[in-house]
Amino acid sequence: MPTPSMEDYLERIYKLIDEKGYARVSDIAEGLEVHPSSVTKMIQKLDKDNYLIYEKYRGLVLTSKGKKMGKRLVDRHQLLESFLEMIGVPGETIYKDVEGIEHHLSWDSITCIETLVEYFNRDKNRLEELAAIRNELDSE
């Protein structure tokens, strides 16, 4: 299993490749707000662990293992954003909160949250009831 730091890199690399078709060290560094030398070290580690293939000065390519994990991490992030939005967390807080919790939840917990999100999505009245309860509690 990748470390939380490795997960951040894999998620960022996956998103860059999905959006732009490639991921450069400078783009990864900018997105994660780290130094390019840190990116290079992590890329070498991810290469060693078979998440990607890295050729100096030529770029990197995710392996099937890296693509699978990258997609899983992006999906987890999006799920947690949806969940927090659904339960009424203010938009300006959501990204920071997701970044804070995503590495601390087990995949079993993620699956349970996914089920709960699906439960609310199947009947919009449930979301309205949740909002009403939240408003009621806020006014107490």
Side-chain angles (χ1 to χ4, degrees):
M1 271 318 261
T3 65
S5 180
M6 291 168 80
E7 287 183 349
D8 286 340
Y9 279 85
L10 281 169
E11 182 179 354
R12 186 72 199 136
I13 291 166
Y14 182 88
K15 284 174 75 172
L16 282 167
I17 291 173
D18 188 51
E19 293 165 6
K20 297 170 80 171
Y22 60 90
R24 296 183 313 207
V25 168
S26 59
D27 295 327
I28 299 164
E30 181 182 327
L32 295 175
E33 298 177 353
V34 297
H35 293 288
S37 59
S38 299
V39 174
T40 301
K41 286 179 189 173
M42 181 58 79
I43 285 174
Q44 290 167 344
K45 184 183 271 189
L46 293 168
D47 185 1
K48 185 175 137 275
D49 290 348
N50 299 314
Y51 287 104
L52 56 82
I53 298 167
Y54 175 63
E55 294 180 26
K56 199 171 184 176
Y57 305 116
R58 297 206 46 183
L60 58 93
V61 178
L62 288 171
T63 62
S64 59
K65 177 182 175 181
K67 286 178 190 173
K68 182 178 176 183
M69 181 57 72
K71 178 168 179 11
R72 189 174 187 200
L73 296 169
V74 167
D75 290 349
R76 174 183 71 184
H77 191 101
Q78 291 170 341
L79 172 70
L80 291 172
E81 282 185 355
S82 295
F83 174 66
L84 293 180
E85 181 180 340
M86 213 173 252
I87 63 172
V89 174
E92 62 275 6
T93 307
I94 290 176
Y95 182 81
K96 187 178 75 151
D97 284 354
V98 169
E99 287 298 312
I101 65 173
E102 66 184 340
H103 301 297
H104 300 286
L105 293 172
S106 69
W107 287 104
D108 288 340
S109 293
I110 295 296
T111 300
C112 291
I113 291 170
E114 184 175 34
T115 303
L116 184 61
V117 167
E118 180 62 24
Y119 171 79
F120 283 116
N121 282 333
R122 285 189 182 186
D123 184 347
K124 297 301 178 188
N125 291 327
R126 294 171 181 156
L127 281 174
E128 291 169 12
E129 290 172 15
L130 179 64
I133 292 168
R134 189 175 53 247
N135 289 337
E136 185 181 307
L137 292 173
D138 286 346
S139 63
E140 289 180 356

